[in-house]
Amino acid sequence: MTQQWQVICRIDDIPVLGARVVARAAKPDVAIFRNGENKLFALLDKCPHKGGPLSQGIVFGEKVACPLHNWNIELPSGCAISPDEGCTQKFSLKVEDEQVYLDAHELHTLAVEV
């Protein structure tokens, strides 16, 4: 399947050590994170533990701490750091000419609650 990319925002629209929420018609939303090295990651905005909004967590290195119970989630994989267990959905992302893109098919079909 060929990827069709959807422009989301500019890199500068995502705060360093923070996130930008991408609203979806079908919930939950997606969060794009930016770390201190300007690396970007896209995850479902839902902690695998109790569903906390990861976009409101603290970004450090290549991890985000969930604001509800401080679970540490790896940004590249979406998986919790041991001893915690579970993963949240990750999304394909690319950057081109300072624009951030998500895979349109994934955005509309992955981890959609019905």
PDB file of all heavy atoms in Angstrom, residues 13-38:
ATOM      1  N   ASP A  13       5.461  24.614  15.135  1.00  0.00           N
ATOM      2  CA  ASP A  13       4.152  24.617  15.787  1.00  0.00           C
ATOM      3  C   ASP A  13       4.092  23.632  16.952  1.00  0.00           C
ATOM      4  O   ASP A  13       3.105  23.614  17.696  1.00  0.00           O
ATOM      5  CB  ASP A  13       3.045  24.267  14.790  1.00  0.00           C
ATOM      6  CG  ASP A  13       2.876  25.330  13.716  1.00  0.00           C
ATOM      7  OD1 ASP A  13       3.191  26.507  13.982  1.00  0.00           O
ATOM      8  OD2 ASP A  13       2.428  24.973  12.605  1.00  0.00           O
ATOM      9  N   ILE A  14       5.126  22.801  17.089  1.00  0.00           N
ATOM     10  CA  ILE A  14       5.193  21.818  18.173  1.00  0.00           C
ATOM     11  C   ILE A  14       6.223  22.325  19.174  1.00  0.00           C
ATOM     12  O   ILE A  14       7.387  22.527  18.814  1.00  0.00           O
ATOM     13  CB  ILE A  14       5.599  20.430  17.651  1.00  0.00           C
ATOM     14  CG1 ILE A  14       4.669  19.990  16.519  1.00  0.00           C
ATOM     15  CG2 ILE A  14       5.617  19.411  18.788  1.00  0.00           C
ATOM     16  CD1 ILE A  14       5.179  18.817  15.717  1.00  0.00           C
ATOM     17  N   PRO A  15       5.836  22.546  20.416  1.00  0.00           N
ATOM     18  CA  PRO A  15       6.798  23.068  21.389  1.00  0.00           C
ATOM     19  C   PRO A  15       7.912  22.066  21.682  1.00  0.00           C
ATOM     20  O   PRO A  15       7.667  20.865  21.742  1.00  0.00           O
ATOM     21  CB  PRO A  15       5.960  23.335  22.640  1.00  0.00           C
ATOM     22  CG  PRO A  15       4.726  22.529  22.467  1.00  0.00           C
ATOM     23  CD  PRO A  15       4.512  22.335  21.001  1.00  0.00           C
ATOM     24  N   VAL A  16       9.135  22.564  21.844  1.00  0.00           N
ATOM     25  CA  VAL A  16      10.246  21.711  22.246  1.00  0.00           C
ATOM     26  C   VAL A  16       9.905  21.142  23.621  1.00  0.00           C
ATOM     27  O   VAL A  16       9.429  21.865  24.506  1.00  0.00           O
ATOM     28  CB  VAL A  16      11.567  22.509  22.287  1.00  0.00           C
ATOM     29  CG1 VAL A  16      12.702  21.660  22.835  1.00  0.00           C
ATOM     30  CG2 VAL A  16      11.909  23.032  20.894  1.00  0.00           C
ATOM     31  N   LEU A  17      10.118  19.852  23.793  1.00  0.00           N
ATOM     32  CA  LEU A  17       9.782  19.113  25.016  1.00  0.00           C
ATOM     33  C   LEU A  17       8.279  19.136  25.292  1.00  0.00           C
ATOM     34  O   LEU A  17       7.828  19.107  26.438  1.00  0.00           O
ATOM     35  CB  LEU A  17      10.551  19.635  26.236  1.00  0.00           C
ATOM     36  CG  LEU A  17      12.073  19.580  26.141  1.00  0.00           C
ATOM     37  CD1 LEU A  17      12.711  20.153  27.401  1.00  0.00           C
ATOM     38  CD2 LEU A  17      12.545  18.146  25.911  1.00  0.00           C
ATOM     39  N   GLY A  18       7.506  19.175  24.218  1.00  0.00           N
ATOM     40  CA  GLY A  18       6.056  19.195  24.351  1.00  0.00           C
ATOM     41  C   GLY A  18       5.391  18.428  23.228  1.00  0.00           C
ATOM     42  O   GLY A  18       6.020  17.632  22.544  1.00  0.00           O
ATOM     43  N   ALA A  19       4.114  18.703  23.043  1.00  0.00           N
ATOM     44  CA  ALA A  19       3.326  17.975  22.048  1.00  0.00           C
ATOM     45  C   ALA A  19       2.277  18.869  21.413  1.00  0.00           C
ATOM     46  O   ALA A  19       1.917  19.914  21.964  1.00  0.00           O
ATOM     47  CB  ALA A  19       2.642  16.778  22.702  1.00  0.00           C
ATOM     48  N   ARG A  20       1.806  18.423  20.268  1.00  0.00           N
ATOM     49  CA  ARG A  20       0.676  19.051  19.583  1.00  0.00           C
ATOM     50  C   ARG A  20      -0.352  17.954  19.347  1.00  0.00           C
ATOM     51  O   ARG A  20      -0.017  16.875  18.876  1.00  0.00           O
ATOM     52  CB  ARG A  20       1.120  19.658  18.259  1.00  0.00           C
ATOM     53  CG  ARG A  20      -0.025  20.287  17.488  1.00  0.00           C
ATOM     54  CD  ARG A  20       0.436  20.813  16.149  1.00  0.00           C
ATOM     55  NE  ARG A  20      -0.683  21.314  15.397  1.00  0.00           N
ATOM     56  CZ  ARG A  20      -0.934  22.596  15.182  1.00  0.00           C
ATOM     57  NH1 ARG A  20      -0.119  23.508  15.669  1.00  0.00           N
ATOM     58  NH2 ARG A  20      -1.980  22.976  14.475  1.00  0.00           N
ATOM     59  N   VAL A  21      -1.594  18.232  19.673  1.00  0.00           N
ATOM     60  CA  VAL A  21      -2.661  17.251  19.500  1.00  0.00           C
ATOM     61  C   VAL A  21      -3.256  17.390  18.104  1.00  0.00           C
ATOM     62  O   VAL A  21      -3.554  18.496  17.654  1.00  0.00           O
ATOM     63  CB  VAL A  21      -3.758  17.438  20.571  1.00  0.00           C
ATOM     64  CG1 VAL A  21      -4.927  16.498  20.321  1.00  0.00           C
ATOM     65  CG2 VAL A  21      -3.170  17.205  21.959  1.00  0.00           C
ATOM     66  N   VAL A  22      -3.418  16.259  17.453  1.00  0.00           N
ATOM     67  CA  VAL A  22      -4.063  16.192  16.142  1.00  0.00           C
ATOM     68  C   VAL A  22      -5.443  15.589  16.374  1.00  0.00           C
ATOM     69  O   VAL A  22      -5.565  14.399  16.687  1.00  0.00           O
ATOM     70  CB  VAL A  22      -3.244  15.329  15.158  1.00  0.00           C
ATOM     71  CG1 VAL A  22      -3.935  15.261  13.807  1.00  0.00           C
ATOM     72  CG2 VAL A  22      -1.824  15.862  15.030  1.00  0.00           C
ATOM     73  N   ALA A  23      -6.470  16.417  16.263  1.00  0.00           N
ATOM     74  CA  ALA A  23      -7.840  15.953  16.505  1.00  0.00           C
ATOM     75  C   ALA A  23      -8.292  15.048  15.360  1.00  0.00           C
ATOM     76  O   ALA A  23      -7.980  15.308  14.195  1.00  0.00           O
ATOM     77  CB  ALA A  23      -8.768  17.144  16.644  1.00  0.00           C
ATOM     78  N   ARG A  24      -8.982  13.986  15.734  1.00  0.00           N
ATOM     79  CA  ARG A  24      -9.555  13.074  14.745  1.00  0.00           C
ATOM     80  C   ARG A  24     -11.052  12.980  14.988  1.00  0.00           C
ATOM     81  O   ARG A  24     -11.506  13.079  16.134  1.00  0.00           O
ATOM     82  CB  ARG A  24      -8.966  11.658  14.883  1.00  0.00           C
ATOM     83  CG  ARG A  24      -7.478  11.597  14.793  1.00  0.00           C
ATOM     84  CD  ARG A  24      -6.955  10.190  14.595  1.00  0.00           C
ATOM     85  NE  ARG A  24      -7.291   9.257  15.673  1.00  0.00           N
ATOM     86  CZ  ARG A  24      -7.039   7.950  15.608  1.00  0.00           C
ATOM     87  NH1 ARG A  24      -6.471   7.434  14.529  1.00  0.00           N
ATOM     88  NH2 ARG A  24      -7.355   7.145  16.596  1.00  0.00           N
ATOM     89  N   ALA A  25     -11.813  12.768  13.917  1.00  0.00           N
ATOM     90  CA  ALA A  25     -13.259  12.607  14.057  1.00  0.00           C
ATOM     91  C   ALA A  25     -13.556  11.414  14.960  1.00  0.00           C
ATOM     92  O   ALA A  25     -14.419  11.478  15.829  1.00  0.00           O
ATOM     93  CB  ALA A  25     -13.902  12.427  12.686  1.00  0.00           C
ATOM     94  N   ALA A  26     -12.821  10.330  14.748  1.00  0.00           N
ATOM     95  CA  ALA A  26     -12.942   9.154  15.605  1.00  0.00           C
ATOM     96  C   ALA A  26     -11.877   9.270  16.685  1.00  0.00           C
ATOM     97  O   ALA A  26     -10.713   9.486  16.389  1.00  0.00           O
ATOM     98  CB  ALA A  26     -12.740   7.884  14.780  1.00  0.00           C
ATOM     99  N   LYS A  27     -12.277   9.161  17.917  1.00  0.00           N
ATOM    100  CA  LYS A  27     -11.347   9.313  19.034  1.00  0.00           C
ATOM    101  C   LYS A  27     -10.624   8.003  19.299  1.00  0.00           C
ATOM    102  O   LYS A  27     -11.081   6.958  18.878  1.00  0.00           O
ATOM    103  CB  LYS A  27     -12.109   9.772  20.282  1.00  0.00           C
ATOM    104  CG  LYS A  27     -12.782  11.117  20.113  1.00  0.00           C
ATOM    105  CD  LYS A  27     -11.770  12.199  19.877  1.00  0.00           C
ATOM    106  CE  LYS A  27     -12.448  13.561  19.695  1.00  0.00           C
ATOM    107  NZ  LYS A  27     -11.535  14.579  19.298  1.00  0.00           N
ATOM    108  N   PRO A  28      -9.546   8.001  20.027  1.00  0.00           N
ATOM    109  CA  PRO A  28      -8.842   9.136  20.602  1.00  0.00           C
ATOM    110  C   PRO A  28      -7.980   9.869  19.580  1.00  0.00           C
ATOM    111  O   PRO A  28      -7.726   9.373  18.484  1.00  0.00           O
ATOM    112  CB  PRO A  28      -7.979   8.507  21.701  1.00  0.00           C
ATOM    113  CG  PRO A  28      -7.789   7.097  21.306  1.00  0.00           C
ATOM    114  CD  PRO A  28      -8.989   6.720  20.474  1.00  0.00           C
ATOM    115  N   ASP A  29      -7.519  11.056  19.979  1.00  0.00           N
ATOM    116  CA  ASP A  29      -6.695  11.884  19.116  1.00  0.00           C
ATOM    117  C   ASP A  29      -5.272  11.334  19.037  1.00  0.00           C
ATOM    118  O   ASP A  29      -4.916  10.373  19.724  1.00  0.00           O
ATOM    119  CB  ASP A  29      -6.657  13.318  19.650  1.00  0.00           C
ATOM    120  CG  ASP A  29      -8.028  13.992  19.576  1.00  0.00           C
ATOM    121  OD1 ASP A  29      -8.822  13.638  18.687  1.00  0.00           O
ATOM    122  OD2 ASP A  29      -8.285  14.877  20.417  1.00  0.00           O
ATOM    123  N   VAL A  30      -4.464  11.965  18.211  1.00  0.00           N
ATOM    124  CA  VAL A  30      -3.054  11.610  18.040  1.00  0.00           C
ATOM    125  C   VAL A  30      -2.230  12.778  18.577  1.00  0.00           C
ATOM    126  O   VAL A  30      -2.637  13.933  18.457  1.00  0.00           O
ATOM    127  CB  VAL A  30      -2.738  11.358  16.544  1.00  0.00           C
ATOM    128  CG1 VAL A  30      -1.258  11.134  16.314  1.00  0.00           C
ATOM    129  CG2 VAL A  30      -3.550  10.167  16.031  1.00  0.00           C
ATOM    130  N   ALA A  31      -1.090  12.474  19.180  1.00  0.00           N
ATOM    131  CA  ALA A  31      -0.190  13.514  19.672  1.00  0.00           C
ATOM    132  C   ALA A  31       1.145  13.413  18.952  1.00  0.00           C
ATOM    133  O   ALA A  31       1.673  12.315  18.766  1.00  0.00           O
ATOM    134  CB  ALA A  31       0.024  13.372  21.176  1.00  0.00           C
ATOM    135  N   ILE A  32       1.661  14.556  18.521  1.00  0.00           N
ATOM    136  CA  ILE A  32       2.994  14.615  17.925  1.00  0.00           C
ATOM    137  C   ILE A  32       3.908  15.263  18.954  1.00  0.00           C
ATOM    138  O   ILE A  32       3.637  16.373  19.418  1.00  0.00           O
ATOM    139  CB  ILE A  32       3.007  15.413  16.612  1.00  0.00           C
ATOM    140  CG1 ILE A  32       2.046  14.782  15.602  1.00  0.00           C
ATOM    141  CG2 ILE A  32       4.431  15.467  16.049  1.00  0.00           C
ATOM    142  CD1 ILE A  32       1.911  15.567  14.321  1.00  0.00           C
ATOM    143  N   PHE A  33       4.963  14.552  19.323  1.00  0.00           N
ATOM    144  CA  PHE A  33       5.896  15.002  20.349  1.00  0.00           C
ATOM    145  C   PHE A  33       7.186  15.499  19.715  1.00  0.00           C
ATOM    146  O   PHE A  33       7.619  14.979  18.692  1.00  0.00           O
ATOM    147  CB  PHE A  33       6.235  13.845  21.302  1.00  0.00           C
ATOM    148  CG  PHE A  33       5.044  13.316  22.031  1.00  0.00           C
ATOM    149  CD1 PHE A  33       4.280  12.291  21.490  1.00  0.00           C
ATOM    150  CD2 PHE A  33       4.677  13.844  23.252  1.00  0.00           C
ATOM    151  CE1 PHE A  33       3.175  11.801  22.157  1.00  0.00           C
ATOM    152  CE2 PHE A  33       3.568  13.366  23.935  1.00  0.00           C
ATOM    153  CZ  PHE A  33       2.818  12.338  23.388  1.00  0.00           C
ATOM    154  N   ARG A  34       7.805  16.479  20.365  1.00  0.00           N
ATOM    155  CA  ARG A  34       9.095  17.020  19.924  1.00  0.00           C
ATOM    156  C   ARG A  34      10.026  17.019  21.126  1.00  0.00           C
ATOM    157  O   ARG A  34       9.714  17.619  22.162  1.00  0.00           O
ATOM    158  CB  ARG A  34       8.907  18.431  19.400  1.00  0.00           C
ATOM    159  CG  ARG A  34      10.163  19.099  18.886  1.00  0.00           C
ATOM    160  CD  ARG A  34       9.811  20.461  18.330  1.00  0.00           C
ATOM    161  NE  ARG A  34      10.962  21.206  17.900  1.00  0.00           N
ATOM    162  CZ  ARG A  34      10.936  22.494  17.574  1.00  0.00           C
ATOM    163  NH1 ARG A  34       9.795  23.159  17.629  1.00  0.00           N
ATOM    164  NH2 ARG A  34      12.026  23.103  17.197  1.00  0.00           N
ATOM    165  N   ASN A  35      11.159  16.328  20.984  1.00  0.00           N
ATOM    166  CA  ASN A  35      12.086  16.287  22.119  1.00  0.00           C
ATOM    167  C   ASN A  35      13.138  17.384  22.002  1.00  0.00           C
ATOM    168  O   ASN A  35      13.102  18.207  21.085  1.00  0.00           O
ATOM    169  CB  ASN A  35      12.692  14.894  22.298  1.00  0.00           C
ATOM    170  CG  ASN A  35      13.741  14.533  21.266  1.00  0.00           C
ATOM    171  OD1 ASN A  35      14.106  15.316  20.390  1.00  0.00           O
ATOM    172  ND2 ASN A  35      14.243  13.314  21.366  1.00  0.00           N
ATOM    173  N   GLY A  36      14.082  17.400  22.935  1.00  0.00           N
ATOM    174  CA  GLY A  36      15.103  18.438  22.977  1.00  0.00           C
ATOM    175  C   GLY A  36      16.084  18.399  21.823  1.00  0.00           C
ATOM    176  O   GLY A  36      16.806  19.368  21.580  1.00  0.00           O
ATOM    177  N   GLU A  37      16.122  17.282  21.095  1.00  0.00           N
ATOM    178  CA  GLU A  37      16.994  17.155  19.926  1.00  0.00           C
ATOM    179  C   GLU A  37      16.221  17.388  18.631  1.00  0.00           C
ATOM    180  O   GLU A  37      16.690  17.050  17.546  1.00  0.00           O
ATOM    181  CB  GLU A  37      17.634  15.764  19.912  1.00  0.00           C
ATOM    182  CG  GLU A  37      18.500  15.498  21.123  1.00  0.00           C
ATOM    183  CD  GLU A  37      18.968  14.058  21.196  1.00  0.00           C
ATOM    184  OE1 GLU A  37      18.468  13.190  20.432  1.00  0.00           O
ATOM    185  OE2 GLU A  37      19.845  13.781  22.026  1.00  0.00           O
ATOM    186  N   ASN A  38      15.013  17.916  18.742  1.00  0.00           N
ATOM    187  CA  ASN A  38      14.121  18.176  17.606  1.00  0.00           C
ATOM    188  C   ASN A  38      13.701  16.920  16.858  1.00  0.00           C
ATOM    189  O   ASN A  38      13.342  16.986  15.684  1.00  0.00           O
ATOM    190  CB  ASN A  38      14.711  19.203  16.640  1.00  0.00           C
ATOM    191  CG  ASN A  38      14.606  20.601  17.187  1.00  0.00           C
ATOM    192  OD1 ASN A  38      13.626  20.952  17.845  1.00  0.00           O
ATOM    193  ND2 ASN A  38      15.633  21.400  16.959  1.00  0.00           N
TER     194      ASN A  38
END
